[in-house]
Amino acid sequence: MRALISVFNKENILEFAQALQNNDWEIVSTGGTYQLLKENGINVIAIDEVTQFPEILEGRVKTLNPYIHGGILFRRDIQEHRDVIDAHGIVPIDMVVNNLYPFEECLMKGEDHDTLIENIDIGGPSMIRAAAKNYQDVLIVTDPQDYSSVLDAVQDGPSLEFKEYLARKAFALTAHYDALIANYFAGRSEESIPYYMNKSFQLNEVLRYGENPHQAGAFYEDSDVSQKVNLKQLQGKQLSYNNLNDMYGAIKIAKNFDTTEGVVAVAVKHTNPCGIGWASTPEEAFAKAYECDTESIFGGIIALNEEVNAATARLMQEIFLEIIIAPSFSEEALEILSAKSNLRLMELPDFRTFELPKYSSREVLNGIIVQEYDRSEFPDNSLQFVTQKQPTEAQLEELKFAWQCVKGSASNSVVISKNKGTIGIGQGQTKRSWAVQEAIERSGDKIEGAVVASDGFFFEDTMELLHQAGVTAVIQPGGSKADPDVIRFADEHNMAVVFTGIRNFRH
């Protein structure tokens, strides 16, 4: 029996090779692996003795050879294959032990382009795929964690089920590796909609269950290193499927806001905001988010783009929350919040600076739909002031805040805000007037002096509802056939309407 061993990750390879040798396996090896095995007393055959050709091009070509791939790929149950192998003096290879050049590690380190190119493995994937294709006759070993089970299997004779397990793992590895490379090159392109969409995810954690207890669930981590952020759980229970989903929803809403000044606090329930506040201190921002809906926030998720200080922690500690995510927590805040041992505290140091992915996707029949993330910015220089009444400077600032909030709400969505805090959010409605009614009802008697933002255009009926509630300043995309009626109504009732020209649906 012959094994070809060529590994970059040399974890436990000496012990594995020695055990194979003790079981009368012949070992062929390449480059650095060959040197390591030979220096440690393993009887190893150099690859060029098998290929009858030296390694060339600084090791770029060493295993791409018929004496290697013929030995791996020939079908033992086909006489014609055996005759060809015998005629050419090719020795069968019964096991391939290989892991790949560290392209992923180089990406993580931020290596330059030339270094990354040189860490794209060619011979390794070719050998792995060849052995995996011929898995009924060849063992393909790609994970050092499998060494002990492989040794047990060769002692007793590996089962077909075990061989297929190794092949399945091998094909998943090469697919993951190729996706990393494809995504790296895609990231260098200005192409907005690529022809192929390659994604690879690695199992990070098996969750207690999915969205509901009867559904299995797991968290798979994106292998695209450009999307990785330094997220650390400081305390609390294991995150659930819904926790992870809601937490990301809260973060995405917070990222809508200017990251250079001020503090934003976002309270989320079922991925939808139930309160958003902006202020100069975290405690003020959180208080505004809380006051929008003091009931729905119960059991919610809080995203804060500033350190949680003691004053904020005291406010948070008074209510039941599932998760608080922030760049950091002061020592005093940690001490206060530690009284609630099940409360998850998540630290995201780069909260303000990390970038959301280029694309978002959603499952549909026969595939996924993909779009660029909504990175639209408030159009300060192209706003359309379409009514006789103009918003004051203070109202315009408030309208900007409300617009940033409505971007993160579920369509149809309407946000009513006052003093940089939401006071009423109507969202997820099939009819826009229902969203308006919901937002007005939630605002209660706080609505006087408030402004309104909508993710889609208004009709005259919605303007009537807002007028009756006492709202005098509105921001919306515009672009409807009903715009003249809306403008006429606003002028007749001394209301200021601003068009952005930007629709911000979030379905």
Side-chain angles (χ1 to χ4, degrees):
M1 304 293 280
R2 172 176 279 191
L4 171 55
I5 302 178
S6 179
V7 293
F8 188 89
N9 176 3
K10 297 177 174 56
E11 175 189 349
N12 297 327
I13 196 61
L14 284 174
E15 296 82 356
F16 182 65
Q18 185 65 64
L20 287 177
Q21 183 173 275
N22 293 343
N23 283 279
D24 299 323
W25 281 71
E26 189 176 58
I27 296 173
V28 176
S29 192
T30 65
T33 307
Y34 170 82
Q35 292 295 330
L36 177 67
L37 298 180
K38 187 174 181 63
E39 290 169 2
N40 284 273
I42 305 295
N43 295 324
V44 59
I45 302 169
I47 194 75
D48 54 8
E49 293 182 43
V50 177
T51 62
Q52 302 175 32
F53 200 91
E55 294 184 20
I56 61 171
L57 306 179
E58 299 176 305
R60 280 190 167 201
V61 178
K62 48 181 178 278
T63 59
L64 300 170
N65 186 282
Y67 283 98
I68 299 301
H69 286 272
I72 296 171
L73 279 166
F74 88 93
R75 292 272 301 274
R76 275 68 166 172
D77 61 339
I78 298 178
Q79 183 62 49
E80 183 182 353
H81 282 207
R82 296 201 303 270
D83 291 344
V84 169
I85 292 299
D86 291 341
H88 291 282
I90 297 173
V91 178
I93 294 173
D94 306 290
M95 180 189 298
V96 173
V97 185
N98 186 270
N99 49 60
L100 304 170
Y101 289 176
F103 183 84
E104 184 170 8
E105 289 81 351
C106 290
L107 272 177
M108 293 290 286
K109 292 177 183 176
E111 299 285 5
D112 61 51
H113 180 69
D114 289 344
T115 301
L116 288 168
I117 295 301
E118 290 308 310
N119 278 279
I120 296 175
D121 204 325
I122 302 301
S126 299
M127 285 192 296
I128 289 173
R129 288 174 59 82
K133 177 176 180 175
N134 207 22
Y135 71 91
Q136 296 187 53
D137 294 318
V138 182
L139 292 171
I140 173 60
V141 186
T142 57
D143 186 351
Q145 300 299 315
D146 289 326
Y147 288 167
S148 60
S149 57
V150 170
L151 292 172
D152 291 340
V154 297
Q155 286 278 2
D156 305 324
S159 66
L160 184 61
E161 182 182 15
F162 182 70
K163 293 176 181 178
E164 189 168 331
Y165 156 77
L166 293 176
R168 183 168 65 247
K169 201 166 184 177
F171 281 124
L173 172 64
T174 56
H176 164 73
Y177 194 77
D178 286 340
L180 287 173
I181 298 167
N183 284 331
Y184 167 69
F185 276 95
R188 290 171 58 84
S189 169
E190 297 299 322
E191 191 176 28
S192 60
I193 303 294
Y195 187 75
Y196 291 107
M197 179 67 68
N198 296 283
K199 296 296 287 182
S200 177
F201 300 87
Q202 285 181 284
L203 180 64
N204 177 285
E205 185 178 14
V206 176
L207 304 172
R208 288 175 295 161
Y209 51 80
E211 198 163 5
N212 299 292
H214 60 272
Q215 297 169 269
F219 169 47
Y220 284 82
E221 189 171 28
D222 195 334
S223 298
D224 185 348
V225 296
S226 69
Q227 304 307 321
K228 292 185 186 293
V229 294
N230 182 21
L231 180 64
K232 181 180 180 182
Q233 184 167 354
L234 303 181
Q235 76 166 45
K237 297 186 296 184
Q238 178 192 22
L239 293 169
S240 70
Y241 178 100
N242 291 329
N243 290 157
L244 289 163
N245 193 33
D246 289 344
M247 185 169 67
Y248 191 39
I251 291 169
K252 288 189 291 185
I253 295 170
K255 295 289 284 183
N256 284 336
F257 291 83
D258 191 333
T259 59
T260 58
E261 57 182 49
V263 182
V264 65
V266 178
V268 157
K269 199 76 171 288
H270 303 298
T271 72
N272 291 322
C274 56
I276 304 172
W278 186 96
S280 58
T281 66
E283 59 267 32
E284 290 177 291
F286 173 74
K288 289 179 179 181
Y290 169 75
E291 288 164 4
C292 178
D293 188 341
T294 58
E295 294 183 9
S296 295
I297 199 172
F298 183 86
I301 279 73
I302 304 298
L304 192 71
N305 67 352
E306 185 72 18
E307 179 176 87
V308 176
N309 58 18
T312 312
R314 290 190 190 97
L315 295 175
M316 292 174 166
Q317 198 259 352
E318 293 178 1
I319 59 176
F320 170 60
L321 298 171
E322 288 279 3
I323 299 172
I324 303 168
I325 180 166
S328 57
F329 296 78
S330 71
E331 289 186 15
E332 193 174 354
L334 286 173
E335 184 177 349
I336 293 167
L337 296 171
S338 66
K340 295 193 170 186
S341 58
N342 287 333
L343 172 62
R344 291 94 160 174
L345 301 184
M346 307 298 298
E347 186 178 68
L348 180 58
D350 299 328
F351 198 126
R352 288 179 180 261
T353 56
F354 88 90
E355 293 188 3
L356 291 167
K358 185 175 182 179
Y359 300 105
S360 64
S361 63
R362 181 170 291 183
E363 178 184 305
V364 294
L365 284 174
N366 298 328
I368 61 172
I369 48 177
V370 176
Q371 64 176 347
E372 293 181 320
Y373 260 88
D374 185 355
R375 290 184 170 81
S376 57
E377 297 181 354
F378 190 71
D380 289 284
N381 299 321
S382 58
L383 292 172
Q384 302 170 53
F385 299 93
V386 295
T387 51
Q388 295 171 10
K389 182 179 176 63
Q390 302 288 296
T392 66
E393 187 174 336
Q395 282 180 321
L396 191 57
E397 279 298 303
E398 193 69 37
L399 288 168
K400 178 178 181 178
F401 169 80
W403 180 85
Q404 289 169 308
C405 294
V406 86
K407 277 181 64 181
S409 305
S411 302
N412 283 317
S413 179
V414 171
V415 167
I416 302 178
S417 76
K418 185 177 181 179
N419 299 325
K420 301 292 180 68
T422 56
I423 59 173
I425 303 175
Q427 57 190 323
Q429 298 292 347
T430 54
K431 187 176 180 182
R432 187 159 302 277
S433 62
W434 292 348
V436 171
Q437 288 172 331
E438 181 182 20
I440 291 171
E441 182 180 346
R442 291 174 180 271
S443 298
D445 58 9
K446 296 181 289 185
I447 199 168
E448 185 179 351
V451 305
V452 170
S454 173
D455 61 358
F457 47 69
F458 274 160
F459 295 100
E460 191 170 347
D461 62 340
T462 50
M463 293 296 292
E464 174 67 37
L465 291 170
L466 293 172
H467 167 64
Q468 291 175 358
V471 173
T472 59
V474 175
I475 192 165
Q476 58 139 314
S480 167
K481 290 181 179 180
D483 284 352
D485 293 333
V486 168
I487 295 169
R488 175 187 52 75
F489 182 93
D491 285 340
E492 289 175 356
H493 296 86
N494 198 33
M495 300 173 72
V497 176
V498 180
F499 287 172
T500 63
I502 302 172
R503 191 184 72 186
N504 293 110
F505 285 167
R506 184 178 76 83
H507 292 129

